Amino acid sequence: MFALFGAHVYKGTNYSSSLPYANCKYGLCFRDGKRKVDYILVYHYKKSSVSRTLTRRIHHNDSSARSIKQDHPLPGKGGHLDMGENEPHMDYHEDDKRFRREEYEGNLMEAGLELERDEDTKIHGIGFVKIHAPWNVLCREAEFLKLKMPTKKVYQINQPHGLLKKINSVLQKITEPIQPKVAEHKPQTVKRLSYPFSREKQHLFKIVHCYYVFVCQGITSLLANGVYSAAYPLHDLLCEEWASYGVFYKYQPIDLVRKYFGEKIGLYFAWLGVYTQMLIPASIVGVIVFLYGCATVDENIPSMEMCDQRNNIIMCPLCDKTCSYWKMSSACATARASHLFDNPATVFFSVFMALWAATFMEHWKRKQMRLNYRWDLTGFEEEETDKEKLTWKDRFPAYFTNFVGIIFMIGLTFAIVFGVIIYRISTAAALAISSTPSGRSSVRVTVTATAVIINLVVIIILDEVYGCIARWLTQIEVPKTDKSFEERLIFKAFLLKFVNAYTPIFYVAFFKGRFVGRPGDYVYIFRSFRMEECAPGGCLMELCIQLSIIMLGKQLIQNNLFEIGIPKMKKLIRYLKLKRQRSLDHEEHMKKKQRYEVDYNLEPFAGLTPEYMEMIIQFGFVTLFVASFPLAPLFALLNNIIEIRLDAKKFVTELRRPVAVRAKDIGIWYNILRGVGKLAVIINAFVISFTSDFIPRLVYLYMYSENGTMHGFVNHTLSSFNVSDFQEGTAPNDPMELGYEVQICRYKDYREPPWSENKYDISKDFWAVLAARLAFVIVFQNLVMFMSDFVDWIIPDIPKDISQQIHKEKVLMVEVFMKEEQGKLQMLETWKDKDMKKGENCNNHSPKLSRSHSGSVSSCHSYHIDV
């Protein structure tokens, strides 16, 4: 009826005064002050004023009430009362729930658990069942689950020698101020040998303190049916060295987190810590790349040519009729800003980040292996039990619904992005009509900023919707195991949220400005709106704006404000509701609140999927488009420093304590991270090649430049158009806005001039640049992939010292059991020899012995039989 649930275990049946839990206050123990509350079940009950008065009178007289359907009611305050004439009968549903609770609690007690009820609480209409797992039950379940426990055998951990020892010593002294002040974080020099627990070999184990993981089976369905309203272990610890913003600069006490929350949550915080640590070098390099762009902006010849008014380059109108000709020098600020992110250093940074991602994955694998060794998880394997056995025909409707649902959601995302594109085009045209000449220069910035904000709001809303839809789609599949359910849910949620977050960015990076046509032959949407064009300096600057606003907005609003604000708002609503109820009952208001009552007012734990998801999406922002925004790692680092303490505080003070779950890795999230890392190489190759002007500059420098410099590059990338070739009704209404008549205007493209035989056809320069772009993608992708795989190959997954320690443990374990068996044999031989000697002594006695001596003879023989 049950499996292991969260319980701190000390050897012995009761908790003595020397143990940490002896000072049981605020409902952390049973009323005897000895048995620790390991788990809480919460239920609603209907209770009239007469019933409450009787309950208090019964408790005052210290007499136990008997239930109608339970011969032996649970000890504790409250309990079920016989219904007298004045007590109204409860409805059928309440009777059914009460009967199911009594049946379930009876089964728990038959399994060896100890229960105590408390209905005399400060929360009106809420009852609590406290559960304690005795020592013998814990031993039984630990043996059944083959949990590894420390034995009495202690061995020395291999320590570095020579130069490595000196380096480690220096590093420990340097990092001492940022180490948490907890005993569990001190470096280990010795370790106890661990082995799956066995009650027969209990004398080999030294169990001072350990943490078991129990969960009552069947409680999920009872919670879903409203028989119980909540089930959770109690909080009994606040980590001042962890869940506090004042220690943001310190390492996390991961071992303490693992002991308190279990391995699964411990691994999440360990992974988050490693990820944040690895962002430090990436942030430093990103800042250097950005500063390089700032330092060289005045030496960038293309932007200097665009800003030089003496060149007098006249550009074609940005829209039909209402827009007029404009000078390229008016886009000087955009061109200079583009150089900050579009310079040769960004190519190096893209390669660096690809290698960084590979190094991060390898570093985490090694860290994870160290934690597995330290937490005795090296031989742990998760057991999976089938929940439902359905045929392929049974599952086909659910699979089909999943396929159609996901395609529909992705189509909805594309439709919303298309709607935002229409907004951008129509708003730009409207502003161009209504704005003054000075205001028209800021139209592009205004449209871009407002469109990105709309995208951000839509992304945040759809994220919540897609999370619910992904859960529903997974539920109708009825996966075979809990692990399969979790993996399918994660995959669907990630797919939908990935498309939702990155579709607007993909549009700007790879589609905007690609299908606009040319002056005199533009591409129109709905025969009314011209497709968007990139700025003269390219779309990379706009991509940077889009990426930065969405990334920072998601981190600030969705990840931080939502995580802080929504739980606090729910907590406030529950507090006001309970306060209104307490005002009706002065006696209940005067009671002292117990720990399980405080925890009941907290938010239930919803799993680690939202926590991982926000970090994986952030990892995508850091790696996928890093060529356009080298400051992304820095902003991610600043966010994560707060995120670690925010999550810690949330887990300790805002959420009910989750049931501890054993796990040896982060599961499917690792495969998703690897996939994002590989995809980042491909996307960055295309961003550098097609979105930035890096390749056109190289082609011009080595193929077309007359003096080996970038002088003349801007003129080379612009084509000419004769204004007499405008389609009817598309020419500017005010062609004399610049003060003179324009005959030839310029536009960004590689096309033949109007005086050519094949005017406005694609020129040879276009094909030369396209060939160079495709060649760069192939070379960059394969080179970086090879380097990443080389990093993966050269760094072993298991650290050498850990591999040696694991082997040493196996050898020592064999020696321990060999010595134990030898000891048993020696003991048996000793007993046998003693028995034979006593038998010989008895046989050598004189036959003239007295009757009293004969009694001793019989005792000799009886001893022999006992042995």
Side-chain angles (χ1 to χ4, degrees), residues 457-468:
V457 173
V458 170
I459 286 171
I460 291 174
I461 294 172
L462 287 184
D463 262 0
E464 303 302 319
V465 174
Y466 287 166
C468 298

Side-chain angles (χ1 to χ4, degrees), residues 264-280:
K264 192 168 187 177
I265 293 178
L267 282 172
Y268 162 71
F269 281 102
W271 174 84
L272 183 56
V274 170
Y275 171 49
T276 305
Q277 245 182 314
M278 289 293 292
L279 282 172
I280 296 174

Side-chain angles (χ1 to χ4, degrees), residues 54-254:
L54 287 172
T55 301
R56 292 192 192 96
R57 192 179 302 139
I58 288 168
H59 173 59
H60 180 72
N61 296 331
D62 200 23
S63 61
S64 60
R66 302 184 64 84
S67 171
I68 294 174
K69 297 183 179 181
Q70 188 173 333
D71 294 336
H72 301 286
L74 298 182
K77 302 177 183 178
H80 303 297
L81 301 173
D82 290 331
M83 295 182 184
E85 294 179 358
N86 296 328
E87 184 69 19
H89 286 279
M90 294 184 181
D91 58 26
Y92 169 77
H93 294 292
E94 289 300 320
D95 286 340
D96 180 62
K97 289 179 182 178
R98 188 175 68 253
F99 174 76
R100 293 177 68 180
R101 282 198 299 269
E102 292 168 357
E103 183 181 25
Y104 182 70
E105 290 161 9
N107 290 334
L108 291 180
M109 288 191 290
E110 286 179 7
L113 297 177
E114 298 174 3
L115 279 64
E116 184 178 82
R117 188 188 305 278
D118 185 4
E119 289 183 357
D120 189 23
T121 64
K122 201 170 183 179
I123 305 176
H124 176 70
I126 299 293
F128 296 88
V129 177
K130 296 176 277 187
I131 303 177
H132 169 73
W135 172 253
N136 60 326
V137 175
L138 294 175
C139 290
R140 182 186 71 206
E141 296 301 317
E143 183 176 25
F144 175 74
L145 293 178
K146 299 178 181 178
L147 295 181
K148 279 190 172 183
M149 296 294 167
T151 64
K152 296 178 181 178
K153 176 68 176 178
V154 179
Y155 68 95
Q156 195 79 18
I157 296 177
N158 294 338
Q159 299 295 325
H161 300 286
L163 182 61
L164 284 177
K165 184 177 181 180
K166 293 180 180 178
I167 293 174
N168 285 347
S169 178
V170 172
L171 288 176
Q172 285 178 7
K173 290 181 180 178
I174 294 173
T175 59
E176 187 176 358
I178 60 175
Q179 299 292 343
K181 296 177 181 179
V182 293
E184 287 81 358
H185 201 76
K186 293 180 180 179
Q188 292 180 326
T189 56
V190 295
K191 188 177 184 292
R192 290 194 177 275
L193 204 61
S194 297
Y195 190 75
F197 183 77
S198 171
R199 285 176 287 179
E200 293 181 357
K201 296 180 174 62
Q202 192 170 333
H203 59 282
L204 293 177
F205 295 90
K206 186 176 180 63
I207 305 176
V208 179
H209 170 261
C210 60
Y211 189 80
Y212 290 96
V213 184
F214 286 81
V215 160
C216 298
Q217 293 180 357
I219 193 63
T220 305
S221 61
L222 295 176
L223 289 170
N225 294 327
V227 177
Y228 291 102
S229 58
Y232 50 88
L234 294 180
H235 281 294
D236 59 2
L237 174 69
L238 291 177
C239 303
E240 294 181 359
E241 286 293 319
W242 182 54
S244 172
Y245 295 111
V247 293
F248 71 92
Y249 59 93
K250 290 189 177 184
Y251 286 100
Q252 299 180 83
I254 292 299

Side-chain angles (χ1 to χ4, degrees), residues 405 409 464-474 489 492 496:
M409 291 300 109
E464 303 302 319
V465 174
Y466 287 166
C468 298
I469 291 174
R471 179 168 290 277
W472 177 75
L473 290 175
T474 308
L489 172 62
K492 291 183 185 69
L496 292 175

Side-chain angles (χ1 to χ4, degrees), residues 3-10 13 15 21 24 27-30 34-41 112-116 129-135 137-138 210-216 231-236 596 599 657-660:
L4 287 162
F5 62 82
H8 286 279
V9 180
Y10 290 86
T13 49
Y15 298 91
Y21 295 117
C24 282
L28 290 175
C29 288
F30 279 28
K34 296 179 180 179
R35 291 172 294 171
K36 177 80 168 54
V37 176
D38 297 321
Y39 206 68
I40 289 289
L41 300 178
L113 297 177
E114 298 174 3
L115 279 64
E116 184 178 82
V129 177
K130 296 176 277 187
I131 303 177
H132 169 73
W135 172 253
V137 175
L138 294 175
C210 60
Y211 189 80
Y212 290 96
V213 184
F214 286 81
V215 160
C216 298
Y232 50 88
L234 294 180
H235 281 294
D236 59 2
Y596 44 83
D599 286 5
R657 186 176 180 181
V659 174

Side-chain angles (χ1 to χ4, degrees), residues 390-576:
L390 301 176
T391 63
W392 184 85
K393 291 182 180 179
D394 296 330
R395 295 183 183 277
F396 177 76
Y399 289 154
F400 181 75
T401 305
N402 269 261
F403 177 77
V404 173
I406 290 173
I407 295 297
F408 175 77
M409 291 300 109
I410 293 175
L412 176 64
T413 303
F414 290 163
I416 291 173
V417 172
F418 182 74
V420 175
I421 294 171
I422 299 298
Y423 162 80
R424 294 161 65 112
I425 296 172
S426 58
T427 305
L431 289 175
I433 296 172
S434 60
S435 298
T436 60
S438 59
R440 290 175 191 172
S441 59
S442 61
V443 167
R444 190 185 297 273
V445 176
T446 304
V447 171
T448 299
T450 54
V452 173
I453 292 172
I454 293 173
N455 276 326
L456 175 61
V457 173
V458 170
I459 286 171
I460 291 174
I461 294 172
L462 287 184
D463 262 0
E464 303 302 319
V465 174
Y466 287 166
C468 298
I469 291 174
R471 179 168 290 277
W472 177 75
L473 290 175
T474 308
Q475 286 172 345
I476 65 174
E477 280 188 79
V478 193
K480 292 183 178 180
T481 63
D482 290 333
K483 183 179 180 181
S484 176
F485 177 89
E486 185 180 24
E487 288 180 349
R488 294 185 185 197
L489 172 62
I490 290 169
F491 178 75
K492 291 183 185 69
F494 172 75
L495 178 63
L496 292 175
K497 292 187 178 185
F498 181 89
V499 173
N500 182 39
Y502 294 111
T503 299
I505 300 173
F506 270 90
Y507 164 72
V508 174
F510 303 120
F511 296 98
K512 184 180 179 182
R514 309 290 173 191
F515 311 102
V516 296
R518 60 169 180 82
D521 188 21
Y522 283 114
V523 177
Y524 291 88
I525 299 176
F526 305 133
R527 299 181 181 181
S528 301
F529 303 108
R530 269 172 47 181
M531 288 293 291
E532 289 185 288
E533 297 181 48
C534 290
C539 279
L540 197 69
M541 186 61 200
E542 187 174 343
L543 176 62
C544 174
I545 295 171
Q546 183 108 357
L547 183 67
S548 59
I549 292 178
I550 291 178
M551 178 183 176
L552 297 178
K554 274 181 65 66
Q555 290 184 166
L556 180 64
I557 299 172
Q558 191 174 26
N559 299 351
N560 292 335
L561 291 183
F562 278 17
E563 287 189 12
I564 298 172
I566 291 179
K568 286 192 178 295
M569 191 180 299
K570 290 181 178 179
K571 194 174 179 181
L572 178 63
I573 293 170
R574 280 195 299 269
Y575 172 76
L576 294 175

